[in-house]
Amino acid sequence: MNGVHDMGGMDGFGKVEPEPNEPMFHEEWESRVLAMVRAMGAAGAFNIDTSRFYRETLPPHVYLSSSYYKKWFLGLEEMLIEKGYLTREEVAAGHAMQPGKALKHGKFDLANVERVMVRGKFARPAPAPARFKIGDRVRAKNIHPTTHTRLPRYVRGHVGVVELNHGCHVFPDSAAMELGENPQWLYTVVFEGSDLWGEDGDPTLKVSIDAFEPYLDPA
Amino acid sequence: MSHDHDHHHHHDHDHSELSETELRVRALETILTEKGYVEPAALDAIIQAYETKIGPHNGARVVAKAWTDPAFKQALLEDGSKAIGTLGHVSRVGDHLVVVENTPVRHNMVVCTLCSCYPWEMLGLPPVWYKAAPYRSRAVKDPRGVLADFGVSLPKDIELRVWDSTAETRFLVLPMRPEGTEGWSEEQLAELVTRDSMIGTGFPAKPGAPS
């Protein structure tokens, strides 16, 4: 979706401000939110693409004015309500009012902690041969889906070169909508900065994205 | 809190410190616990693991090994996850970590313009600036301007390569080994490797400079 989350190339957000000796969490609640998101994901309440989609669909003014973990929290709460794991009444009351819904992988307890510390695997067997090979020129499609996609706006319509082939991976556009993993070939496609940004672009700049095969046409 | 203001005045300190967000987060955890979805002790354990086990020290050890062991460096650049998997002392990574090498003619920088994808296993949780709009918006269009915000300037003719992390592939920058470190051990070298140098927004510390 063409939301405010798709920020590449936008102007006006100001300088990057590194914080010296930044703490891991600025507030204790941030750590609880991180843990709840990791736990409920591992328990099977949602996948990573769905959780990203819920954050993207926060109203733009909320997205832009909320801290990182606040976005995580708001997305988590809304996602769990919409998927039937809790109700708005329970959220308002601050307590459970009815029994829980079964989780795909069961309750998240201590025995599961080790599992969330290892990154998930997203590579999948190939359903078909790769359409592109390294060195191929490809054009990022000019598509504007209203649902989740991982094709950033700033490359759409532009021509780049396939530089790496990562094999087949879970397709976020499908997974986010719970339409299955629908594995697709994944490539690193590199674009010239001057192609993306025209005369304003840095002539020494190259930018790559990781593009799933359905995002690309031959060029 | 206008109601009962006088009545509750004597114990304001019990609750006035809690922000609305904190109250909401606590309420959600209560509900998830009461419904039998999560065990609070398991949440504590996740947080403790992030606070103690994962962090840029993992990435630093990988970089230091690559600086001292050419065979490992080659394996790392060919298949980052596999090479790191041979190091028992570093956190396990998922199946797709790509290591990109800085050279005298090319500087790499990593961003996620769509959210905040980051190699947690190697670098720990990302800093706030990495997740914030200024970095996400500008890194792909004006990386030299971003680097200037970090006090970093590169030669004008060096190629700048920005990797936008738009899938589950994760990227780690292998910075150039600092001069004046001939004969240093891996442990000594790892001390010079900064988090930012592995994102591409900084360089390793110089030998002898305060880190």
Side-chain angles (χ1 to χ4, degrees):
Chain A
M1 65 177 276
N2 292 345
V4 288
H5 69 284
D6 187 354
M7 293 183 163
M10 288 171 79
D11 295 318
F13 286 115
K15 287 178 70 144
V16 179
E17 292 180 9
E19 179 185 345
N21 304 312
E22 185 183 327
M24 188 169 292
F25 299 105
H26 286 79
E27 304 276 351
E28 199 235 345
W29 64 263
E30 297 181 334
S31 68
R32 304 313 290 182
V33 170
L34 168 81
M36 283 193 276
V37 169
R38 299 290 286 159
M40 291 303 285
F46 49 82
N47 65 54
I48 192 168
D49 301 301
T50 305
S51 64
R52 286 189 185 128
F53 187 49
Y54 270 84
R55 280 170 225 148
E56 290 166 14
T57 48
L58 291 170
H61 69 283
V62 174
Y63 186 97
L64 290 174
S65 59
S66 300
S67 68
Y68 178 73
Y69 289 112
K70 181 78 180 281
K71 287 195 277 270
W72 273 41
F73 171 73
L74 295 172
L76 174 67
E77 197 179 71
E78 194 60 27
M79 185 162 52
L80 294 176
I81 291 170
E82 289 203 16
K83 294 187 180 307
Y85 289 100
L86 43 101
T87 64
R88 290 193 198 282
E89 291 69 33
E90 288 174 318
V91 166
H95 282 285
M97 296 162 81
Q98 50 184 276
K101 176 178 160 178
L103 284 158
K104 192 156 65 171
H105 304 305
K107 179 179 183 172
F108 188 88
D109 58 21
L110 276 170
N112 288 291
V113 172
E114 186 65 16
R115 194 157 60 85
V116 305
M117 303 314 295
V118 182
R119 191 165 168 68
K121 293 189 181 300
F122 297 88
R124 296 291 182 270
R131 193 170 168 213
F132 304 111
K133 60 183 189 304
I134 290 166
D136 281 358
R137 284 166 58 82
V138 290
R139 187 182 298 277
K141 287 184 184 171
N142 181 20
I143 50 171
H144 298 267
T146 55
T147 50
H148 183 73
T149 185
R150 297 294 283 183
L151 179 64
R153 252 180 296 178
Y154 69 87
V155 301
R156 294 179 194 166
H158 291 290
V159 173
V161 176
V162 173
E163 187 178 79
L164 296 169
N165 179 333
H166 300 287
C168 278
H169 289 227
V170 173
F171 188 39
D173 304 43
S174 302
M177 308 313 294
E178 300 189 329
L179 297 172
E181 294 191 335
N182 186 21
Q184 300 290 340
W185 289 94
L186 178 68
Y187 310 92
T188 291
V189 178
V190 59
F191 300 86
E192 295 291 332
S194 51
D195 285 345
L196 297 176
W197 314 112
E199 289 181 1
D200 297 323
D202 182 332
T204 64
L205 171 64
K206 292 179 195 292
V207 180
S208 65
I209 63 159
D210 283 345
F212 292 88
E213 196 168 270
Y215 299 162
L216 304 171
D217 281 326
Chain B
M1 299 303 284
S2 58
H3 64 288
D4 290 346
H5 181 263
D6 295 334
H7 182 67
H8 283 160
H9 189 73
H10 62 284
H11 65 189
D12 260 357
H13 61 274
D14 287 345
H15 54 90
S16 61
E17 299 298 320
L18 293 184
S19 67
E20 188 208 336
T21 301
E22 184 155 8
L23 291 168
R24 288 177 65 179
V25 171
R26 285 188 180 196
L28 183 63
E29 185 174 335
T30 299
I31 299 167
L32 298 187
T33 305
E34 288 176 351
K35 292 183 82 101
Y37 297 144
V38 299
E39 190 176 87
L43 302 184
D44 297 342
I46 292 177
I47 295 163
Q48 201 197 4
Y50 281 115
E51 285 179 335
T52 60
K53 285 187 194 161
I54 76 157
H57 56 279
N58 287 326
R61 299 185 78 161
V62 170
V63 168
K65 186 164 180 64
W67 282 346
T68 54
D69 178 344
F72 177 76
K73 177 178 159 183
Q74 192 183 343
L76 188 67
L77 294 172
E78 280 169 11
D79 187 336
S81 303
K82 192 171 159 192
I84 292 165
T86 64
L87 307 177
H89 58 273
V90 193
S91 288
R92 284 170 289 167
V93 290
D95 60 356
H96 231 80
L97 183 85
V98 173
V99 179
V100 293
E101 184 185 15
N102 282 351
T103 70
V105 295
R106 175 171 165 172
H107 182 87
N108 297 283
M109 204 169 117
V110 184
V111 65
C112 171
T113 61
L114 296 173
C115 48
S116 308
C117 298
Y118 189 79
W120 287 16
E121 294 75 13
M122 287 291 98
L123 300 188
L125 299 173
V128 165
W129 60 259
Y130 185 88
K131 302 177 283 195
Y135 186 71
R136 288 169 52 193
S137 60
R138 277 172 65 211
V140 292
K141 185 180 177 191
D142 178 25
R144 282 177 201 271
V146 168
L147 289 171
D149 292 349
F150 285 89
V152 169
S153 73
L154 292 168
K156 277 198 172 67
D157 54 349
I158 195 171
E159 178 189 316
L160 246 167
R161 170 63 181 275
V162 178
W163 301 77
D164 190 355
S165 193
T166 55
E168 297 305 334
T169 308
R170 294 291 172 267
F171 300 96
L172 183 75
V173 175
L174 174 59
M176 286 190 285
R177 179 171 173 164
E179 289 174 8
T181 57
E182 292 73 22
W184 283 38
S185 69
E186 262 179 63
E187 288 70 26
Q188 287 174 300
L189 288 167
E191 295 287 317
L192 300 179
V193 183
T194 63
R195 176 197 65 200
D196 289 5
S197 73
M198 294 181 280
I199 302 172
T201 55
F203 300 120
K206 289 189 169 68
S211 57

